[in-house]
Amino acid sequence: MGATVTAVSSNAEYSFTKPNRDSITLLAGLGVEGDVHAGVTVKHRSRVAQDPTQPNLRQVHLIHEELFDEVAGAGFQVAPGQLGENITTRGIDLLGLPVGTLLRIGGEAVLEVTGLRNPCVQIDGFQDGLLKQVVGRDADGNLVRRAGIMSVVREGGVVRPGDAIEAELPAGPHRPLDRV
């Protein structure tokens, strides 16, 4: 079985979680239609406070559903949309993709991967202790972020659960993902 979309979510209001939808519409250069984080410039509150003219590299948040399976082993129950993602996936190593990877979703939409989501303390507000499950350290002491990836919309289109995802890697050398 290939990579697929398992859920899509959006919210017109600032909220940690996003309700699941039957579909979302991606708008080129903007993000998810009707979502609070859509726009050419940054929409995340802390980033707006720093510099509201920054380009929005966080238009669409994707998270791998396999993470929910992993944290369930530590006693946490997380469902699609509850960590604020727009697209929940299965069968693709999102965290292993390099910057600039194109994700072709369904028949029309194309996302360009920009970097890692930088998880914040709001995750512990959702479920106490969950932040430690999605942020950790590797054997060398380097910070490891596992709460999904961010992207921008290169080509718009409707995305639904069940849509196939195809990854097109950029020309090398590949740059590993870092927080955006």
Side-chain angles (χ1 to χ4, degrees), residues 65-145:
E65 192 172 53
E66 291 87 349
L67 178 64
F68 304 159
D69 300 336
E70 291 175 33
V71 301
F76 296 93
Q77 297 303 311
V78 180
Q82 289 186 323
L83 294 183
E85 76 275 10
N86 300 109
I87 299 175
T88 311
T89 68
R90 185 166 283 282
I92 183 169
D93 180 13
L94 295 175
L95 303 178
L97 298 172
V99 171
T101 298
L102 296 180
L103 298 174
R104 299 182 184 282
I105 304 176
E108 305 169 322
V110 179
L111 299 175
E112 181 179 338
V113 176
T114 56
L116 295 170
R117 176 193 186 182
N118 190 30
C120 66
V121 296
Q122 286 184 321
I123 291 177
D124 273 346
F126 172 66
Q127 287 185 39
D128 190 40
L130 184 56
L131 183 59
K132 287 183 180 179
Q133 299 296 314
V134 299
V135 178
R137 300 260 177 205
D138 65 14
D140 296 324
N142 298 310
L143 192 62
V144 176
R145 295 173 179 90

Side-chain angles (χ1 to χ4, degrees), residues 139-153:
D140 296 324
N142 298 310
L143 192 62
V144 176
R145 295 173 179 90
R146 301 179 336 119
I149 63 171
M150 307 307 289
S151 63
V152 295
V153 182

